[in-house]
């Protein structure tokens, strides 16, 4: 079974630039999560999708971050414009359903904002 | 304070047992998890415990849950150098996951 795929693995940009990350969850997984993991901290939920609908985006900084999952499969997370404090690893995870008990994580995208 | 708290660092000698502790605030958590993260990788689920259990054993791993004190621990028996990683405690309240800051475990020969 293929795991959660993310790309790119690394990205370096200058502040005020835009960046997009892509995630392809495990086939059949209805729920998809985007997390931000700042160095030395645990993952912090940015947004949760159930199929193509948003379940929770309460911690997503909506003035600069956006995410979509148009067909209920893969997802993109965008930052526009980026700030220095956005430097982090962005992790995508998926589960079978909204209350399923195992999250499968992708390898993450490491973003550095200069 | 933080919703899920862990000590930041643990040093253990190869062959000894490691115990990693976690406290949490969300009493509605249905499951509690331990994840392992190696450098440059995502989180990997190690084990989990349902909230109505107080202990779960899985090979070298033992999870203890004290629901009254909202305290979770992970014991790794016969710790090996391959166990060096960051370990995250996580709560799950009906599909909403919260993570601690992680405990870095360093195994020395």
């Amino acid at each position: 079974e293929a795991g959660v795929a993310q790309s790119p693995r690394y990205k370096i940009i200058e502040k005020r630039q835009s960046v997009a990350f892509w995630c392809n969850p495990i086939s059949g997984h209805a729920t998809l999560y985007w997390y931000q993991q700042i160095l030395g901290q645990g993952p912090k939920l940015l947004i949760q999708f159930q199929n193509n609908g948003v379940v929770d985006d309460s911690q997503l900084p909506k003035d600069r971050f956006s995410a979509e999952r148009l067909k209920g499969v893969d997802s993109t997370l965008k930052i526009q414009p980026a700030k220095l404090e956005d430097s982090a690893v962005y992790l995508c995870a998926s589960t079978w359903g909204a209350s399923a008990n195992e999250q499968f994580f992708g390898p993450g995208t490491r973003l550095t904002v200069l | 304070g933080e919703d899920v708290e862990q000590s930041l660092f643990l040093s253990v000698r190869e062959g000894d047992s490691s115990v990693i502790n976690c406290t949490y605030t969300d009493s509605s958590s249905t499951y509690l998890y331990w994840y392992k993260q190696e450098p440059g990788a995502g989180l990997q689920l190690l084990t989990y415990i349902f909230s109505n259990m107080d202990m779960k054993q899985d090979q070298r791993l033992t999870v203890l849950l004290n629901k009254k004190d909202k305290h979770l621990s992970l014991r790794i028996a016969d710790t090996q150098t391959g166990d060096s990683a960051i370990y995250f405690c996580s709560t799950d309240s009906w599909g909403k996951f919260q993570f601690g800051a992680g405990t870095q475990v360093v195994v020395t020969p």
Side-chain angles (χ1 to χ4, degrees), chain B residues 11-66:
Chain B
S11 179
V12 62
R13 270 209 276 197
E14 192 174 8
D16 287 351
S17 291
S18 313
V19 179
I20 308 167
N21 294 300
C22 169
T23 57
Y24 60 95
T25 58
D26 187 355
S27 57
S28 66
S29 296
T30 48
Y31 292 91
L32 298 109
Y33 306 87
W34 285 103
Y35 286 86
K36 177 183 181 183
Q37 186 176 38
E38 294 180 276
L43 278 68
Q44 174 197 0
L45 181 68
L46 281 180
T47 186
Y48 65 91
I49 188 166
F50 189 48
S51 58
N52 69 353
M53 299 170 64
D54 52 21
M55 187 181 94
K56 179 179 179 181
Q57 188 147 3
D58 184 358
Q59 299 182 350
R60 292 192 297 123
L61 306 178
T62 303
V63 180
L64 295 178
L65 174 61
N66 182 327

Short mmCIF file of all heavy atoms in Angstrom, two decimals, chain B residues 11-66:
data_model
loop_
_atom_site.label_atom_id
_atom_site.label_comp_id
_atom_site.label_asym_id
_atom_site.label_seq_id
_atom_site.Cartn_x
_atom_site.Cartn_y
_atom_site.Cartn_z
N SER B 11 17.92 10.72 28.12
CA SER B 11 19.12 9.98 27.72
C SER B 11 19.07 8.62 28.41
O SER B 11 18.80 8.53 29.60
CB SER B 11 20.38 10.75 28.14
OG SER B 11 21.53 10.01 27.78
N VAL B 12 19.33 7.57 27.65
CA VAL B 12 19.23 6.23 28.21
C VAL B 12 20.34 5.36 27.64
O VAL B 12 20.78 5.56 26.49
CB VAL B 12 17.84 5.62 27.91
CG1 VAL B 12 17.60 5.47 26.43
CG2 VAL B 12 17.64 4.30 28.62
N ARG B 13 20.81 4.44 28.44
CA ARG B 13 21.88 3.54 27.95
C ARG B 13 21.26 2.36 27.22
O ARG B 13 20.19 1.85 27.59
CB ARG B 13 22.73 3.06 29.11
CG ARG B 13 23.89 4.01 29.37
CD ARG B 13 25.03 3.27 29.94
NE ARG B 13 24.83 3.17 31.39
CZ ARG B 13 25.78 2.88 32.23
NH1 ARG B 13 26.99 2.63 31.82
NH2 ARG B 13 25.54 2.81 33.50
N GLU B 14 21.96 1.92 26.20
CA GLU B 14 21.52 0.78 25.41
C GLU B 14 21.28 -0.41 26.34
O GLU B 14 22.10 -0.72 27.20
CB GLU B 14 22.59 0.44 24.38
CG GLU B 14 22.15 -0.53 23.30
CD GLU B 14 23.22 -0.72 22.22
OE1 GLU B 14 24.35 -0.21 22.40
OE2 GLU B 14 22.92 -1.37 21.21
N GLY B 15 20.14 -1.08 26.16
CA GLY B 15 19.80 -2.23 26.98
C GLY B 15 18.93 -1.90 28.18
O GLY B 15 18.26 -2.78 28.73
N ASP B 16 18.95 -0.62 28.60
CA ASP B 16 18.10 -0.21 29.71
C ASP B 16 16.67 0.04 29.22
O ASP B 16 16.41 0.05 28.01
CB ASP B 16 18.64 1.08 30.35
CG ASP B 16 19.90 0.83 31.15
OD1 ASP B 16 20.26 -0.36 31.36
OD2 ASP B 16 20.54 1.82 31.57
N SER B 17 15.77 0.28 30.16
CA SER B 17 14.40 0.65 29.81
C SER B 17 14.29 2.18 29.75
O SER B 17 14.94 2.88 30.52
CB SER B 17 13.41 0.13 30.85
OG SER B 17 13.33 -1.26 30.79
N SER B 18 13.47 2.65 28.82
CA SER B 18 13.17 4.09 28.72
C SER B 18 11.73 4.29 29.15
O SER B 18 10.87 3.47 28.83
CB SER B 18 13.28 4.56 27.27
OG SER B 18 14.44 4.11 26.65
N VAL B 19 11.48 5.37 29.84
CA VAL B 19 10.10 5.74 30.17
C VAL B 19 9.88 7.19 29.78
O VAL B 19 10.60 8.09 30.24
CB VAL B 19 9.79 5.56 31.68
CG1 VAL B 19 8.35 5.98 31.96
CG2 VAL B 19 10.00 4.11 32.09
N ILE B 20 8.91 7.40 28.92
CA ILE B 20 8.57 8.74 28.45
C ILE B 20 7.18 9.08 28.99
O ILE B 20 6.25 8.27 28.87
CB ILE B 20 8.54 8.80 26.91
CG1 ILE B 20 9.85 8.23 26.33
CG2 ILE B 20 8.34 10.23 26.43
CD1 ILE B 20 9.78 7.96 24.84
N ASN B 21 7.07 10.26 29.57
CA ASN B 21 5.83 10.65 30.22
C ASN B 21 5.11 11.77 29.48
O ASN B 21 5.74 12.58 28.79
CB ASN B 21 6.10 11.11 31.66
CG ASN B 21 6.59 9.97 32.52
OD1 ASN B 21 5.91 8.97 32.70
ND2 ASN B 21 7.81 10.09 33.04
N CYS B 22 3.80 11.79 29.67
CA CYS B 22 2.97 12.78 28.97
C CYS B 22 1.77 13.09 29.87
O CYS B 22 1.18 12.18 30.47
CB CYS B 22 2.51 12.18 27.64
SG CYS B 22 1.24 13.10 26.76
N THR B 23 1.42 14.37 29.96
CA THR B 23 0.17 14.75 30.63
C THR B 23 -0.69 15.53 29.65
O THR B 23 -0.16 16.21 28.76
CB THR B 23 0.42 15.59 31.89
OG1 THR B 23 1.18 16.75 31.51
CG2 THR B 23 1.17 14.82 32.94
N TYR B 24 -1.99 15.41 29.79
CA TYR B 24 -2.89 16.06 28.85
C TYR B 24 -4.07 16.63 29.60
O TYR B 24 -4.31 16.31 30.77
CB TYR B 24 -3.35 15.05 27.77
CG TYR B 24 -4.09 13.86 28.32
CD1 TYR B 24 -5.48 13.82 28.38
CD2 TYR B 24 -3.38 12.74 28.78
CE1 TYR B 24 -6.15 12.72 28.90
CE2 TYR B 24 -4.05 11.64 29.30
CZ TYR B 24 -5.43 11.63 29.36
OH TYR B 24 -6.09 10.55 29.86
N THR B 25 -4.82 17.50 28.94
CA THR B 25 -5.93 18.16 29.62
C THR B 25 -7.30 17.71 29.10
O THR B 25 -8.29 17.82 29.82
CB THR B 25 -5.83 19.69 29.44
OG1 THR B 25 -5.83 20.00 28.03
CG2 THR B 25 -4.56 20.24 30.08
N ASP B 26 -7.36 17.18 27.87
CA ASP B 26 -8.66 16.88 27.26
C ASP B 26 -9.19 15.55 27.78
O ASP B 26 -8.79 14.48 27.33
CB ASP B 26 -8.51 16.84 25.74
CG ASP B 26 -9.85 16.70 25.03
OD1 ASP B 26 -10.88 16.54 25.71
OD2 ASP B 26 -9.85 16.74 23.79
N SER B 27 -10.15 15.62 28.70
CA SER B 27 -10.68 14.40 29.30
C SER B 27 -11.62 13.65 28.36
O SER B 27 -12.00 12.51 28.64
CB SER B 27 -11.43 14.74 30.59
OG SER B 27 -12.45 15.68 30.31
N SER B 28 -11.98 14.26 27.21
CA SER B 28 -12.86 13.58 26.27
C SER B 28 -12.08 12.76 25.23
O SER B 28 -12.68 12.23 24.29
CB SER B 28 -13.76 14.59 25.55
OG SER B 28 -12.99 15.44 24.73
N SER B 29 -10.77 12.67 25.39
CA SER B 29 -9.95 11.90 24.44
C SER B 29 -10.40 10.45 24.42
O SER B 29 -10.50 9.81 25.45
CB SER B 29 -8.47 11.95 24.83
OG SER B 29 -8.00 13.27 24.74
N THR B 30 -10.66 9.94 23.23
CA THR B 30 -11.11 8.57 23.09
C THR B 30 -9.94 7.62 22.92
O THR B 30 -9.95 6.49 23.40
CB THR B 30 -12.05 8.43 21.88
OG1 THR B 30 -11.45 9.08 20.76
CG2 THR B 30 -13.39 9.08 22.16
N TYR B 31 -8.91 8.09 22.22
CA TYR B 31 -7.69 7.33 22.04
C TYR B 31 -6.50 8.22 22.39
O TYR B 31 -6.58 9.44 22.26
CB TYR B 31 -7.52 6.87 20.59
CG TYR B 31 -8.52 5.85 20.13
CD1 TYR B 31 -9.72 6.23 19.53
CD2 TYR B 31 -8.28 4.49 20.29
CE1 TYR B 31 -10.64 5.29 19.11
CE2 TYR B 31 -9.19 3.54 19.87
CZ TYR B 31 -10.37 3.95 19.28
OH TYR B 31 -11.27 3.02 18.86
N LEU B 32 -5.41 7.58 22.82
CA LEU B 32 -4.16 8.29 23.06
C LEU B 32 -3.07 7.52 22.35
O LEU B 32 -3.07 6.28 22.36
CB LEU B 32 -3.89 8.42 24.56
CG LEU B 32 -4.99 9.23 25.26
CD1 LEU B 32 -5.84 8.32 26.13
CD2 LEU B 32 -4.40 10.35 26.09
N TYR B 33 -2.15 8.26 21.75
CA TYR B 33 -1.19 7.65 20.84
C TYR B 33 0.24 8.01 21.22
O TYR B 33 0.51 9.05 21.81
CB TYR B 33 -1.39 8.19 19.41
CG TYR B 33 -2.79 8.05 18.89
CD1 TYR B 33 -3.73 9.05 19.13
CD2 TYR B 33 -3.18 6.95 18.14
CE1 TYR B 33 -5.02 8.94 18.65
CE2 TYR B 33 -4.46 6.84 17.66
CZ TYR B 33 -5.38 7.83 17.92
OH TYR B 33 -6.66 7.72 17.44
N TRP B 34 1.13 7.16 20.78
CA TRP B 34 2.56 7.46 20.78
C TRP B 34 3.08 7.32 19.36
O TRP B 34 2.89 6.30 18.71
CB TRP B 34 3.34 6.53 21.70
CG TRP B 34 3.16 6.85 23.15
CD1 TRP B 34 2.39 6.19 24.05
CD2 TRP B 34 3.76 7.94 23.86
NE1 TRP B 34 2.48 6.79 25.29
CE2 TRP B 34 3.32 7.86 25.20
CE3 TRP B 34 4.66 8.97 23.51
CZ2 TRP B 34 3.71 8.77 26.18
CZ3 TRP B 34 5.06 9.86 24.49
CH2 TRP B 34 4.59 9.76 25.81
N TYR B 35 3.72 8.40 18.88
CA TYR B 35 4.33 8.43 17.56
C TYR B 35 5.84 8.57 17.72
O TYR B 35 6.33 9.16 18.67
CB TYR B 35 3.83 9.62 16.74
CG TYR B 35 2.44 9.50 16.22
CD1 TYR B 35 1.34 9.87 16.99
CD2 TYR B 35 2.20 9.00 14.93
CE1 TYR B 35 0.06 9.77 16.49
CE2 TYR B 35 0.91 8.90 14.43
CZ TYR B 35 -0.15 9.29 15.22
OH TYR B 35 -1.42 9.19 14.72
N LYS B 36 6.54 8.08 16.71
CA LYS B 36 8.00 8.20 16.65
C LYS B 36 8.36 8.99 15.41
O LYS B 36 7.78 8.76 14.34
CB LYS B 36 8.62 6.80 16.59
CG LYS B 36 10.14 6.76 16.45
CD LYS B 36 10.61 5.30 16.34
CE LYS B 36 12.11 5.22 16.22
NZ LYS B 36 12.58 3.80 16.05
N GLN B 37 9.29 9.94 15.55
CA GLN B 37 9.73 10.71 14.39
C GLN B 37 11.25 10.66 14.31
O GLN B 37 11.95 11.12 15.22
CB GLN B 37 9.26 12.16 14.47
CG GLN B 37 9.57 12.96 13.21
CD GLN B 37 9.02 14.38 13.26
OE1 GLN B 37 9.03 15.02 14.30
NE2 GLN B 37 8.53 14.87 12.12
N GLU B 38 11.73 10.13 13.20
CA GLU B 38 13.18 10.10 12.95
C GLU B 38 13.54 11.30 12.08
O GLU B 38 12.67 11.87 11.42
CB GLU B 38 13.56 8.77 12.32
CG GLU B 38 13.33 7.62 13.30
CD GLU B 38 13.69 6.26 12.74
OE1 GLU B 38 12.85 5.66 12.06
OE2 GLU B 38 14.81 5.79 13.00
N PRO B 39 14.81 11.68 12.08
CA PRO B 39 15.20 12.89 11.34
C PRO B 39 14.76 12.86 9.88
O PRO B 39 14.98 11.87 9.18
CB PRO B 39 16.73 12.88 11.46
CG PRO B 39 17.00 12.14 12.72
CD PRO B 39 15.93 11.07 12.80
N GLY B 40 14.13 13.94 9.43
CA GLY B 40 13.73 14.07 8.04
C GLY B 40 12.53 13.24 7.64
O GLY B 40 12.19 13.18 6.45
N ALA B 41 11.87 12.64 8.61
CA ALA B 41 10.73 11.78 8.30
C ALA B 41 9.45 12.28 8.97
O ALA B 41 9.51 13.11 9.89
CB ALA B 41 11.01 10.35 8.75
N GLY B 42 8.33 11.80 8.48
CA GLY B 42 7.07 12.11 9.13
C GLY B 42 6.90 11.30 10.40
O GLY B 42 7.79 10.54 10.81
N LEU B 43 5.76 11.44 11.03
CA LEU B 43 5.49 10.70 12.27
C LEU B 43 5.01 9.30 11.94
O LEU B 43 4.21 9.09 11.03
CB LEU B 43 4.42 11.42 13.10
CG LEU B 43 4.89 12.58 13.98
CD1 LEU B 43 5.37 13.76 13.16
CD2 LEU B 43 3.78 13.00 14.93
N GLN B 44 5.50 8.35 12.73
CA GLN B 44 5.10 6.96 12.55
C GLN B 44 4.40 6.49 13.82
O GLN B 44 4.96 6.61 14.92
CB GLN B 44 6.36 6.12 12.29
CG GLN B 44 6.12 4.63 12.22
CD GLN B 44 7.41 3.84 12.37
OE1 GLN B 44 8.49 4.40 12.53
NE2 GLN B 44 7.29 2.53 12.32
N LEU B 45 3.19 5.95 13.66
CA LEU B 45 2.46 5.47 14.83
C LEU B 45 3.17 4.26 15.43
O LEU B 45 3.46 3.28 14.75
CB LEU B 45 1.04 5.09 14.43
CG LEU B 45 0.16 4.59 15.59
CD1 LEU B 45 -0.12 5.74 16.58
CD2 LEU B 45 -1.13 4.00 15.07
N LEU B 46 3.45 4.34 16.74
CA LEU B 46 4.06 3.22 17.45
C LEU B 46 3.01 2.34 18.09
O LEU B 46 3.02 1.12 17.97
CB LEU B 46 4.98 3.73 18.56
CG LEU B 46 6.35 4.22 18.19
CD1 LEU B 46 7.08 4.67 19.44
CD2 LEU B 46 7.14 3.14 17.47
N THR B 47 2.13 2.97 18.82
CA THR B 47 1.10 2.25 19.54
C THR B 47 0.04 3.22 20.00
O THR B 47 0.25 4.44 19.98
CB THR B 47 1.71 1.48 20.75
OG1 THR B 47 0.70 0.66 21.34
CG2 THR B 47 2.25 2.42 21.81
N TYR B 48 -1.10 2.69 20.41
CA TYR B 48 -2.15 3.54 20.94
C TYR B 48 -2.93 2.78 22.00
O TYR B 48 -2.84 1.55 22.10
CB TYR B 48 -3.09 4.03 19.83
CG TYR B 48 -3.89 2.94 19.15
CD1 TYR B 48 -5.16 2.59 19.62
CD2 TYR B 48 -3.39 2.28 18.05
CE1 TYR B 48 -5.89 1.60 19.00
CE2 TYR B 48 -4.12 1.28 17.44
CZ TYR B 48 -5.37 0.95 17.90
OH TYR B 48 -6.10 -0.04 17.29
N ILE B 49 -3.68 3.52 22.80
CA ILE B 49 -4.47 2.89 23.84
C ILE B 49 -5.85 3.54 23.86
O ILE B 49 -5.98 4.76 23.67
CB ILE B 49 -3.77 3.01 25.22
CG1 ILE B 49 -4.49 2.19 26.29
CG2 ILE B 49 -3.63 4.47 25.65
CD1 ILE B 49 -3.66 2.00 27.57
N PHE B 50 -6.85 2.73 24.02
CA PHE B 50 -8.21 3.23 24.12
C PHE B 50 -8.41 3.79 25.53
O PHE B 50 -7.86 3.26 26.49
CB PHE B 50 -9.21 2.11 23.82
CG PHE B 50 -10.63 2.55 23.69
CD1 PHE B 50 -10.98 3.64 22.90
CD2 PHE B 50 -11.64 1.88 24.35
CE1 PHE B 50 -12.29 4.05 22.79
CE2 PHE B 50 -12.97 2.28 24.24
CZ PHE B 50 -13.29 3.36 23.46
N SER B 51 -9.22 4.78 25.66
CA SER B 51 -9.31 5.52 26.92
C SER B 51 -9.92 4.71 28.07
O SER B 51 -9.79 5.10 29.23
CB SER B 51 -10.11 6.81 26.74
OG SER B 51 -11.39 6.51 26.25
N ASN B 52 -10.55 3.57 27.77
CA ASN B 52 -11.11 2.79 28.88
C ASN B 52 -10.16 1.67 29.34
O ASN B 52 -10.51 0.84 30.14
CB ASN B 52 -12.47 2.19 28.51
CG ASN B 52 -12.36 1.12 27.46
OD1 ASN B 52 -11.29 0.89 26.90
ND2 ASN B 52 -13.46 0.46 27.17
N MET B 53 -8.93 1.69 28.78
CA MET B 53 -7.90 0.74 29.20
C MET B 53 -6.91 1.46 30.10
O MET B 53 -6.76 2.68 30.03
CB MET B 53 -7.17 0.19 27.98
CG MET B 53 -8.06 -0.58 27.02
SD MET B 53 -7.20 -0.97 25.48
CE MET B 53 -5.91 -2.05 26.04
N ASP B 54 -6.20 0.71 30.94
CA ASP B 54 -5.14 1.34 31.72
C ASP B 54 -3.76 0.82 31.36
O ASP B 54 -2.76 1.41 31.78
CB ASP B 54 -5.40 1.22 33.23
CG ASP B 54 -5.68 -0.20 33.65
OD1 ASP B 54 -5.29 -1.13 32.92
OD2 ASP B 54 -6.29 -0.39 34.72
N MET B 55 -3.70 -0.24 30.57
CA MET B 55 -2.39 -0.72 30.15
C MET B 55 -2.52 -1.46 28.82
O MET B 55 -3.53 -2.12 28.54
CB MET B 55 -1.80 -1.69 31.19
CG MET B 55 -0.37 -2.09 30.87
SD MET B 55 0.33 -3.25 32.04
CE MET B 55 -0.02 -4.79 31.23
N LYS B 56 -1.47 -1.32 28.02
CA LYS B 56 -1.39 -2.08 26.77
C LYS B 56 0.05 -2.44 26.54
O LYS B 56 0.95 -1.60 26.66
CB LYS B 56 -1.93 -1.25 25.60
CG LYS B 56 -1.86 -1.97 24.27
CD LYS B 56 -2.43 -1.11 23.15
CE LYS B 56 -2.33 -1.84 21.83
NZ LYS B 56 -2.85 -1.02 20.71
N GLN B 57 0.28 -3.71 26.21
CA GLN B 57 1.65 -4.16 25.94
C GLN B 57 1.74 -4.62 24.49
O GLN B 57 0.84 -5.30 23.98
CB GLN B 57 2.03 -5.31 26.87
CG GLN B 57 3.48 -5.68 26.78
CD GLN B 57 4.05 -6.16 28.10
OE1 GLN B 57 3.34 -6.27 29.10
NE2 GLN B 57 5.33 -6.45 28.11
N ASP B 58 2.81 -4.21 23.84
CA ASP B 58 3.01 -4.56 22.44
C ASP B 58 4.49 -4.78 22.26
O ASP B 58 5.25 -3.84 22.05
CB ASP B 58 2.50 -3.42 21.55
CG ASP B 58 2.58 -3.76 20.07
OD1 ASP B 58 3.06 -4.86 19.72
OD2 ASP B 58 2.16 -2.91 19.26
N GLN B 59 4.93 -6.04 22.35
CA GLN B 59 6.34 -6.42 22.24
C GLN B 59 7.16 -5.63 23.26
O GLN B 59 6.94 -5.78 24.46
CB GLN B 59 6.82 -6.24 20.80
CG GLN B 59 6.04 -7.13 19.83
CD GLN B 59 6.51 -7.01 18.40
OE1 GLN B 59 7.31 -6.15 18.03
NE2 GLN B 59 6.03 -7.90 17.56
N ARG B 60 8.08 -4.78 22.83
CA ARG B 60 8.94 -4.06 23.79
C ARG B 60 8.27 -2.82 24.37
O ARG B 60 8.84 -2.16 25.23
CB ARG B 60 10.25 -3.63 23.10
CG ARG B 60 11.16 -4.79 22.73
CD ARG B 60 12.56 -4.30 22.33
NE ARG B 60 12.53 -3.46 21.14
CZ ARG B 60 13.01 -2.22 21.10
NH1 ARG B 60 13.52 -1.66 22.18
NH2 ARG B 60 12.96 -1.53 19.97
N LEU B 61 7.08 -2.51 23.88
CA LEU B 61 6.40 -1.28 24.29
C LEU B 61 5.30 -1.56 25.30
O LEU B 61 4.51 -2.49 25.11
CB LEU B 61 5.78 -0.59 23.07
CG LEU B 61 6.71 -0.29 21.90
CD1 LEU B 61 5.91 0.35 20.76
CD2 LEU B 61 7.84 0.62 22.31
N THR B 62 5.26 -0.76 26.35
CA THR B 62 4.17 -0.83 27.32
C THR B 62 3.62 0.57 27.52
O THR B 62 4.37 1.50 27.79
CB THR B 62 4.65 -1.37 28.69
OG1 THR B 62 5.24 -2.65 28.50
CG2 THR B 62 3.47 -1.50 29.66
N VAL B 63 2.32 0.70 27.33
CA VAL B 63 1.66 1.99 27.54
C VAL B 63 0.84 1.90 28.82
O VAL B 63 0.10 0.94 29.03
CB VAL B 63 0.72 2.33 26.36
CG1 VAL B 63 0.04 3.67 26.60
CG2 VAL B 63 1.49 2.35 25.05
N LEU B 64 1.00 2.90 29.66
CA LEU B 64 0.19 3.00 30.88
C LEU B 64 -0.63 4.27 30.82
O LEU B 64 -0.11 5.34 30.46
CB LEU B 64 1.10 3.03 32.13
CG LEU B 64 1.92 1.78 32.40
CD1 LEU B 64 2.80 1.99 33.63
CD2 LEU B 64 1.03 0.57 32.60
N LEU B 65 -1.89 4.16 31.17
CA LEU B 65 -2.78 5.31 31.17
C LEU B 65 -3.42 5.46 32.53
O LEU B 65 -4.06 4.54 33.04
CB LEU B 65 -3.87 5.14 30.10
CG LEU B 65 -4.98 6.20 30.08
CD1 LEU B 65 -4.40 7.58 29.80
CD2 LEU B 65 -6.04 5.84 29.05
N ASN B 66 -3.26 6.63 33.13
CA ASN B 66 -3.95 6.99 34.36
C ASN B 66 -4.93 8.09 33.99
O ASN B 66 -4.57 9.27 33.88
CB ASN B 66 -2.94 7.48 35.42
CG ASN B 66 -3.61 7.83 36.74
OD1 ASN B 66 -4.76 8.29 36.77
ND2 ASN B 66 -2.90 7.62 37.83
#
